[in-house]
Amino acid sequence: MKISPQWVREFVELAVDDRRLAEDLTGVGIAVEGSSGSGADTVFEMEIGTNRPDAMNHYGVAREAAAIYDLPLKQLSGLGDSGAKAQSNFREPNAALKRRSSTVHDAAGTKTSAAKAASSTASDGTTEVVPFPSVSSSAVSSHDASFPIAVEEPQLCPRFTARVIRGTMIKPSPEKIARRLRLLEQRPISNAVDATNYVLWEMGKPTHVFDMDLLEGGRLIIRRARNGEKLKTLDGVERSLISEDLVVADAKKAVGLAGVMGGYDTMITDKTRNILIESAWWDPLTVRKMSRRHGLHTDASHRFERGADFESTILSCDLVAALILESGGGELVGDAIDVVSRKMDQAPVVLRLAEVQRILGGNLSTREILRILKKLGFTAIPEGQADMQFYVTAPSWRLDVEREIDVIEEIARLHGYDKFENTLPAYSGAVVELPHAAMDATLRERALALGYNEAVSLTFISHADAEMFSSAKVLELENPLSEEASVMRTSMGPGMLDMLAWNLNRDSENVRLFEMGRVYEMAGGERVEPTRACLGATLAAVKGSLLAGGALDVSTGKHAVVAEAFRSFKGDVENLLAPFAYVELTFDRETSEYFHSGRSARALMDGAVVAQFGQIAEDVKSQRKLRQDVFLAEIDLERLHTRGLRTVRFKAPGKYPAVERDFSFVFADVVEFEAMRRAVTGLGMGALRSFTPVEIFRGGSIGAGKYSILLRARLQSDEGTLRDEQIAVWSGELVRALQGLGGVQRA
Amino acid sequence: MAYTVSKLTDYSSNALLKAFGEAKLAFREELRGASSPAGWKAVRDRWMARKNGILTQINDRLMAAPKEAKREIGQYLNDLKQFVEKEIETWQEHEEGSVGKLAPLFQSVDITLPGIRRPIGAEHPVIKTTNEMVRVFQKLGYSVADGPVVETDYYNFEALNFPPNHPARDTQDTLFIAGQQGKAQRERLLLRTHTSPVQIRTMETMRPPIRILIPGTVHRNDPPDASHSPMFHQIEGLAVDTNITFGDLKGTLDHAMKEFFGSSVKTSFRPSFFPFTEPSAEMFVSCFICGGSGRRGAEPCRPCKQTGWIEILGCGMVDPNVFQFVKDNGYDPKKVSGFAFGMGADRIALLKYGVDDLQLFFQGDVRFLGQWA
Ligand SMILES: [Zn+2]
């Protein structure tokens, strides 16, 4: 919203410069976010909270300024003086117009039919008001000002005020008006339309002007729209209405969407001579719903849905009338037509000084409190003798102030937040960590130590990815940002693969990333947000972390490279799982389809799946245009959380020397190391400390479909030094166990 | 090749300087040439032996010098002796330090070559920032709390005093979950637009007094650009007790900001509006980039838009309407009061590290992330 400080200065005589004014307004919450232009053309860019529609105009800002500097605020004058001025300027020269307008009035023949219509609607309990006789203004014409207004929805339109001008001329606004509107980036249209816009920016009350001659039937009705009723609004769009819409209508048709936008067919044109000015107070919720339903957010709806000033309908009509008369001439017909169906009730609030102290702290004097309230237009009447509490009534433009705390905020705001002393409260509670904090921190530290950069990806994925990466029921977005981001992620996989692709597309070949976060699923009709950790690495990075000389598979050819790379990535997963409490960690091949079927595994802790990891399937790689083989690990933190972290129990290193024995075997490819490990550990040798593969080789003299493996057993006893005979016996058992798997021992 | 002591006929200062210099160079060369323990021992003996060692020879030769040059000669001789002893000593130390293996000086490595760095993963700047902020508040007695990202309308709006159809809801640019039309409004699911729902969830389960900090992911319907993202991170705080005042809110945040940004920063509070707090405020810290001057040398300071102040968070006293929703758990607004605050972790990280594009946080680009390693 834009504000011209020059315009503000018309209402309050400010001694400070614009820069200081901006700072001080910002200090009381009427935030000036920026300033452009200079001198009289300076414009403030304002940021005003949704609760302060009263300050979304120049007079409202002036009111705040007057309160800040304790200066008098000039009264806004409607027709009191400027109306008189208009008359003295224009009445005589426009005698011809006056005649013409009265002709139109008569020709339309509205007077009698309107009266009939009004009496017919009066019987069904709706409000009908006979216009007041003209009394106050000297600009009133001798014509009968009668223009019946029937309010069928008094709850939604508690007040409807109108004024009639006859015999005016439509032309461009005077330069002063046009210039100000342009300064606020408003486009000047014509004197009558500009008058409503000018008044809106001047004092905040939206108004509307009709070409009165286009109002059929000589009356207005405030009613619900009929389902399917058509209304072409000022923006030229023909809208189809529903019965929840509230309209201003003439005897035949809707002529305006209440509080949102006027109708096209009754708008002011060059030919307009007779004008009806509308200034109403509309139910905020009704306006808001209509504005949303029709996608029409206007300066008027913005203010009505936040609550306009109920008491300013007459004043705003007068201000608009004065501007029209001043520029276009003509006559004001009769007095304001003011239909009040319901008074806005602003009950006084009890303000207790003790409560001010309890909420704000510090030591505000009663005098300061009362001074602030008075400056803002509030009245405060002491209750009882002790001056400990007051009945405070908010001004009509402050519909946001309804409770004691609202009044307290006003006091704090004008006193100045920075003037309150900074204090630290005492506390008797204790700091508690979330139950999984230590586990998550451990996992994170390990991932970082393993060289994985911590990443954060967006939580949305596409339907296609959701289908591919999870069988969980998805949470779909009603209003997604794009098709690719239309569901909440059910897997961290797609995000991780996208990040890997991003890097590969930018010539970063050596990439290791991890992410910890939630996935979002529907389970049993309820939403759940299980936490996951995800590792991603490019083949280059995985190979890069192989230890020099640490290769197990020493064969030449691609298979060995792949096998070693897998083992390298698996080691990272094992390192992440190691700190958790479990007896046995096993692996199987039951991974999801997006993994390479031969190069991926699931990790099971005591039989429960905790992770799946490995190389990504070829088709997924090509679909996602990954320029390199990549590895992915998905770790189920929910499962890990149930286990907790392992507590270290110290075990003394053996006192007696350990003995290592190597066994060289040839096995068929189908026999995996795990089978050997099970066979050997199954022997129940108490002295077997470890059983590990040392070297694997394929090719050469080893036949196709077979491989040679060098296995190492480490034996150690707690009772004494192992004797050679005992070792020989165990070695024999071990060899037989391996032979039982089809292994052939090599010399 | 080996050095021999030549006869001196000229005993001028210049001639002496030249002669002793030559002797030094010769000695060093011989020592460098030695490639085994036996070798350097031989060099040592040739020069230092009492009987007929080179130093002794030089001494003998110079006996013939004129009396007036003797004093100067004595100084040169002494200097040469010390030089030889020192070189031998260094040599010996070096050798004894290397485990049984001779490591001649000339086999030293180029210590300016880059070290081999095992990859260390980098903390994500936003998570790092969040964790740092959490630690600041933990020291002030705050415990971490969390809650769901997919929230109900009730927790995200209604219980935070955003009535249905209230214009304040417009500012939240909410992303909604599809297929909720059949449910009552308060049951409808959406992506939480702030971490504030966790205030309600925590107050429902924990009685006052409480002090909680809520870091978490939030979503808004904001297309991504340099300063917007549909997903970002907030850090929310809530303290409720008897007698918590607006001064306590200011004091707590002022203390926390000094702890986080450095003790020289100042805070300033300006009125604002949030449905769930009243009075509401925006808190600014004095610009930690330009020190509050608004300028960096001759250049205007961009992060603070030359104002010397940077907006960091929104805060306020908990609105009594919010307490009404959890009144039964001990939150009677007549008896307790409290304050709440919320800040954008991403924004703070942007400012702290001078990052100019929010999108960089969510791309996983190792060229970016690696800078925090
Ligand atoms: Zn700065």
Side-chain angles (χ1 to χ4, degrees):
Chain A
M1 197 195 84
K2 293 181 173 5
I3 284 288
S4 150
Q6 173 86 356
W7 195 345
V8 169
R9 288 170 194 275
E10 263 181 25
F11 306 118
V12 55
E13 277 179 35
L14 298 169
V16 295
D17 64 11
D18 287 348
R19 195 193 151 99
R20 183 64 200 271
L21 174 64
E23 278 174 23
D24 292 337
L25 284 170
T26 304
V28 297
I30 308 300
V32 180
E33 296 284 295
S35 174
S36 60
S38 59
D41 288 341
T42 303
V43 175
F44 289 165
E45 187 56 50
M46 311 295 292
E47 179 73 46
I48 292 173
T50 53
N51 60 329
R52 294 298 306 276
D54 67 289
M56 294 173 182
N57 61 78
H58 289 79
Y59 193 73
V61 172
R63 189 189 290 126
E64 293 283 323
I68 294 170
Y69 305 115
D70 220 353
L71 294 168
L73 180 69
K74 288 178 193 160
Q75 287 294 314
L76 265 179
S77 48
L79 293 167
D81 52 359
S82 63
K85 210 191 303 162
Q87 182 216 4
S88 62
N89 286 348
F90 295 111
R91 193 171 184 193
E92 288 314 312
N94 287 340
L97 289 174
K98 183 180 131 191
R99 255 197 321 281
R100 217 159 79 200
S101 72
S102 64
T103 312
V104 172
H105 188 227
D106 295 338
T110 55
K111 222 177 89 181
T112 41
S113 59
K116 275 182 196 158
S119 54
S120 66
T121 52
S123 56
D124 57 43
T126 57
T127 309
E128 188 217 331
V129 166
V130 178
F132 305 147
S134 56
V135 276
S136 67
S137 175
S138 53
V140 166
S141 106
S142 53
H143 288 280
D144 184 352
S146 170
F147 200 92
I149 293 162
V151 177
E152 292 184 7
E153 297 290 340
Q155 281 306 310
L156 309 183
C157 180
R159 188 169 194 177
F160 192 104
T161 306
R163 285 222 90 141
V164 173
I165 289 178
R166 287 191 176 276
T168 191
M169 287 291 282
I170 301 304
K171 54 186 182 179
S173 282
E175 185 50 23
K176 183 198 163 192
I177 305 291
R179 198 181 145 81
R180 279 203 166 153
L181 289 177
R182 278 195 299 264
L183 200 58
L184 305 180
E185 289 175 13
Q186 300 288 315
R187 188 169 58 92
I189 295 165
S190 69
N191 56 346
V193 175
D194 294 350
T196 63
N197 207 9
Y198 187 88
V199 168
L200 179 132
W201 290 106
E202 181 175 52
M203 48 78 78
K205 181 74 188 61
T207 54
H208 181 67
V209 281
F210 294 100
D211 183 326
M212 209 168 89
D213 300 327
L214 300 174
L215 295 175
E216 297 174 86
R219 64 190 177 112
L220 287 177
I221 306 155
I222 316 308
R223 61 165 170 82
R224 296 278 194 179
R226 288 181 289 272
N227 267 326
E229 186 173 1
K230 297 281 186 281
L231 171 64
K232 190 174 180 185
T233 41
L234 277 174
D235 53 5
V237 177
E238 173 141 321
R239 297 171 190 278
S240 186
L241 308 180
I242 61 169
S243 63
E244 281 167 53
D245 289 324
L246 186 68
V247 295
V248 178
D250 64 16
K252 296 208 167 141
K253 61 185 184 296
V255 295
L257 205 50
V260 181
M261 192 178 270
Y264 188 90
D265 296 333
T266 51
M267 71 179 179
I268 303 296
T269 66
D270 293 347
K271 299 191 190 76
T272 302
R273 293 296 172 265
N274 303 317
I275 293 173
L276 184 126
I277 306 165
E278 163 205 320
S279 180
W281 197 95
W282 304 104
D283 172 54
L285 190 56
T286 304
V287 172
R288 179 172 160 79
K289 282 181 171 170
M290 283 195 292
S291 159
R292 288 170 75 100
R293 193 178 305 133
H294 295 286
L296 261 179
H297 186 95
T298 60
D299 286 328
S301 71
H302 190 78
R303 285 159 179 77
F304 281 126
E305 65 179 69
R306 283 160 179 77
D309 180 358
F310 189 84
E311 297 300 336
S312 70
T313 57
I314 293 181
L315 175 64
S316 54
C317 268
D318 287 357
L319 288 167
V320 171
L323 286 171
I324 296 174
L325 292 171
E326 193 174 331
S327 60
E331 300 170 305
L332 205 53
V333 181
D335 210 336
I337 307 162
D338 191 21
V339 186
V340 180
S341 343
R342 176 164 70 89
K343 282 295 270 184
M344 289 306 290
D345 199 18
Q346 276 176 292
V349 170
V350 175
L351 177 72
R352 296 162 294 164
L353 296 184
E355 186 67 358
V356 175
Q357 167 75 27
R358 184 175 82 99
I359 299 297
L360 298 180
N363 267 319
L364 275 171
S365 69
T366 309
R367 233 185 98 187
E368 168 75 348
I369 291 170
L370 295 178
R371 188 185 66 86
I372 289 168
L373 292 177
K374 189 171 172 226
K375 273 155 69 173
L376 291 172
F378 290 69
T379 56
I381 300 161
E383 195 246 7
Q385 299 301 309
D387 261 11
M388 288 310 288
Q389 55 190 51
F390 295 83
Y391 286 122
V392 174
T393 308
S396 61
W397 56 85
R398 290 302 301 273
L399 293 181
D400 59 313
V401 179
E402 298 170 324
R403 303 169 299 162
E404 186 178 28
I405 191 71
D406 301 332
V407 178
I408 292 173
E409 178 175 55
E410 289 303 297
I411 294 165
R413 188 170 73 83
L414 262 290
H415 178 67
Y417 282 1
D418 285 343
K419 285 192 199 147
F420 288 90
E421 195 197 341
N422 290 347
T423 50
L424 279 176
Y427 186 52
S428 56
V431 178
V432 191
E433 289 278 11
L434 285 176
H436 310 132
M439 284 181 260
D440 290 345
T442 301
L443 207 71
R444 179 170 179 268
E445 278 161 20
R446 287 196 167 222
L448 292 170
L450 289 167
Y452 288 80
N453 285 319
E454 185 172 32
V456 175
S457 67
L458 292 189
T459 36
F460 316 112
I461 58 175
S462 67
H463 265 291
D465 277 349
E467 233 155 76
M468 173 177 284
F469 284 84
S470 169
S471 55
K473 193 163 180 292
V474 298
L475 284 150
E476 193 180 347
L477 292 175
E478 173 82 39
N479 50 339
L481 280 105
S482 69
E483 185 64 29
E484 291 71 45
S486 53
V487 300
M488 295 303 284
R489 68 177 178 203
T490 45
S491 161
M492 311 268 279
M496 180 56 75
L497 293 179
D498 285 350
M499 292 192 288
L500 292 175
W502 172 280
N503 281 290
L504 290 172
N505 288 339
R506 281 157 186 78
D507 293 328
S508 296
E509 304 272 319
N510 207 326
V511 184
R512 274 190 207 80
L513 296 173
F514 86 98
E515 182 176 7
M516 290 168 72
R518 302 181 191 184
V519 295
Y520 306 87
E521 302 171 350
M522 288 301 287
E526 287 297 317
R527 67 197 196 280
V528 288
E529 302 183 2
T531 51
R532 301 272 187 269
C534 187
L535 297 183
T538 57
L539 180 61
V542 172
K543 283 206 292 198
S545 60
L546 285 170
L547 301 174
L552 179 61
D553 193 332
V554 297
S555 337
T556 51
K558 188 161 190 283
H559 186 268
V561 174
V562 162
E564 290 296 296
F566 176 82
R567 230 162 47 79
S568 170
F569 191 66
K570 182 186 178 188
D572 291 345
V573 173
E574 288 172 324
N575 266 330
L576 290 185
L577 300 180
F580 290 89
Y582 59 86
V583 178
E584 194 184 34
L585 187 65
T586 53
F587 298 88
D588 69 20
R589 291 180 181 275
E590 307 297 311
T591 51
S592 302
E593 275 179 20
Y594 49 94
F595 281 106
H596 190 297
S597 60
R599 301 172 190 170
S600 60
R602 291 196 309 179
L604 299 88
M605 264 181 194
D606 304 329
V609 178
V610 292
Q612 61 173 342
F613 62 93
Q615 193 178 319
I616 280 298
E618 289 295 336
D619 56 335
V620 176
K621 179 190 169 193
S622 57
Q623 263 170 35
R624 305 187 90 89
K625 298 191 173 64
L626 286 156
R627 294 181 176 185
Q628 218 184 79
D629 282 333
V630 299
F631 291 75
L632 184 72
E634 296 173 289
I635 299 172
D636 187 338
L637 293 183
E638 298 297 322
R639 292 264 172 86
L640 290 183
H641 287 161
T642 62
R643 307 200 147 253
L645 293 171
R646 175 171 66 90
T647 308
V648 175
R649 293 294 303 168
F650 168 73
K651 221 173 127 192
K655 278 185 220 142
Y656 302 101
V659 176
E660 284 179 353
R661 286 288 181 273
D662 286 359
F663 306 90
S664 182
F665 270 85
V666 172
F667 280 100
D669 277 341
V670 290
V671 184
E672 295 182 320
F673 172 70
E674 178 64 8
M676 307 171 205
R677 194 188 65 79
R678 282 186 188 282
V680 170
T681 52
L683 296 171
M685 285 179 223
L688 185 69
R689 288 287 177 267
S690 70
F691 180 69
T692 49
V694 181
E695 193 176 281
I696 286 170
F697 182 74
R698 282 182 174 80
S701 61
I702 311 296
K706 291 186 167 130
Y707 69 111
S708 90
I709 183 165
L710 182 66
L711 298 156
R712 181 167 295 163
R714 188 179 165 85
L715 301 155
Q716 191 180 24
S717 166
D718 292 335
E719 273 94 52
T721 305
L722 293 171
R723 290 175 296 115
D724 284 349
E725 305 85 77
Q726 180 61 63
I727 293 167
V729 170
W730 283 337
S731 293
E733 280 180 35
L734 209 142
V735 167
R736 278 192 296 282
L738 293 171
Q739 283 168 338
L741 295 172
V744 176
Q745 194 174 13
R746 303 179 80 197
Chain B
M1 179 148 154
Y3 178 77
T4 52
V5 184
S6 54
K7 267 189 185 154
L8 264 185
T9 48
D10 184 354
Y11 293 101
S12 71
S13 286
N14 276 344
L16 286 171
L17 185 68
K18 187 167 176 273
F20 278 97
E22 278 169 1
K24 276 187 184 176
L25 282 174
F27 168 72
R28 185 172 270 175
E29 210 141 293
E30 279 185 38
L31 198 59
R32 294 234 159 145
S35 56
S36 66
W40 73 257
K41 276 178 189 148
V43 175
R44 182 189 62 188
D45 292 346
R46 204 168 99 78
W47 283 74
M48 309 249 314
R50 288 229 171 148
K51 202 177 163 194
N52 214 23
I54 289 175
L55 291 181
T56 313
Q57 285 179 44
I58 295 174
N59 193 34
D60 293 348
R61 284 282 161 92
L62 291 170
M63 298 292 268
K67 204 175 170 189
E68 62 271 18
K70 283 238 170 110
R71 195 184 140 83
E72 200 175 356
I73 288 169
Q75 280 172 4
Y76 274 119
L77 197 62
N78 211 30
D79 176 54
L80 176 64
K81 214 167 161 179
Q82 277 177 15
F83 175 79
V84 169
E85 278 168 4
K86 181 99 203 296
E87 287 279 289
I88 298 260
E89 196 182 321
T90 313
W91 189 249
Q92 202 165 354
E93 274 174 11
H94 184 79
E95 189 193 319
E96 280 163 2
S98 58
V99 205
K101 224 178 176 183
L102 185 74
L105 276 178
F106 57 81
Q107 286 186 12
S108 68
V109 297
D110 183 348
I111 56 154
T112 65
L113 288 174
I116 299 167
R117 295 175 67 175
R118 273 156 238 253
I120 291 175
E123 288 180 272
H124 192 282
V126 173
I127 297 175
K128 183 178 162 71
T129 301
T130 303
N131 289 346
E132 285 167 10
M133 196 62 86
V134 167
R135 279 193 286 277
V136 166
F137 280 95
Q138 279 179 329
K139 283 189 254 175
L140 285 166
Y142 288 71
S143 297
V144 173
D146 72 358
V149 169
V150 181
E151 260 300 359
T152 59
D153 182 282
Y154 176 78
Y155 286 106
N156 197 71
F157 289 127
E158 190 181 337
L160 289 165
N161 200 29
F162 288 82
N165 289 306
H166 194 272
R169 289 185 172 215
D170 292 354
T171 62
Q172 301 282 310
D173 297 320
T174 313
L175 284 162
F176 297 96
I177 299 296
Q180 304 292 305
Q181 287 72 10
K183 294 182 183 173
Q185 169 132 4
R186 53 160 55 182
E187 300 297 327
R188 289 182 192 168
L189 297 177
L190 44 81
L191 300 189
R192 69 176 177 196
T193 56
H194 43 193
T195 39
S196 313
V198 187
Q199 289 186 25
I200 307 298
R201 289 185 173 275
T202 308
M203 287 193 282
E204 280 179 345
T205 54
M206 291 171 64
R207 297 179 68 84
I210 58 163
R211 283 186 185 190
I212 53 165
L213 200 71
I214 310 147
T217 309
V218 301
H219 295 84
R220 303 253 173 118
N221 194 352
D222 275 335
D225 65 26
S227 52
H228 294 87
S229 169
M231 182 200 80
F232 55 103
H233 301 83
Q234 278 193 345
I235 306 168
E236 181 106 3
L238 173 70
V240 183
D241 204 340
T242 48
N243 285 319
I244 295 264
T245 68
F246 186 67
D248 292 336
L249 162 66
K250 287 183 60 208
T252 298
L253 291 175
D254 184 73
H255 179 90
M257 292 305 119
K258 285 182 162 65
E259 196 66 15
F260 186 86
F261 291 111
S263 55
S264 62
V265 303
K266 293 192 279 286
T267 55
S268 178
F269 293 77
R270 291 172 200 169
S272 187
F273 172 74
F274 307 107
F276 45 101
T277 53
E278 187 150 351
S280 298
E282 271 160 3
M283 189 204 69
F284 292 71
V285 299
S286 55
C287 180
F288 42 86
I289 290 145
C290 65
S293 68
R295 305 195 71 79
R296 300 168 79 181
E299 295 293 306
C301 179
R302 273 199 300 154
C304 67
K305 295 179 201 136
Q306 303 180 60
T307 62
W309 293 95
I310 293 182
E311 187 188 336
I312 292 292
L313 54 79
C315 56
M317 300 302 289
V318 178
D319 194 293
N321 285 0
V322 171
F323 283 141
Q324 289 297 342
F325 288 93
V326 286
K327 195 175 173 182
D328 293 345
N329 201 30
Y331 294 89
D332 180 349
K334 289 194 192 73
K335 292 177 185 146
V336 297
S337 54
F339 60 75
F341 55 88
M343 61 191 109
D346 318 74
R347 203 179 110 75
I348 292 173
L350 276 185
L351 290 165
K352 185 172 176 184
Y353 300 114
V355 176
D356 59 4
D357 184 354
L358 185 60
Q359 295 311 308
L360 288 164
F361 287 144
F362 311 119
Q363 289 161 345
D365 193 318
V366 292
R367 297 170 301 178
F368 173 75
L369 296 174
Q371 295 179 36
W372 280 267

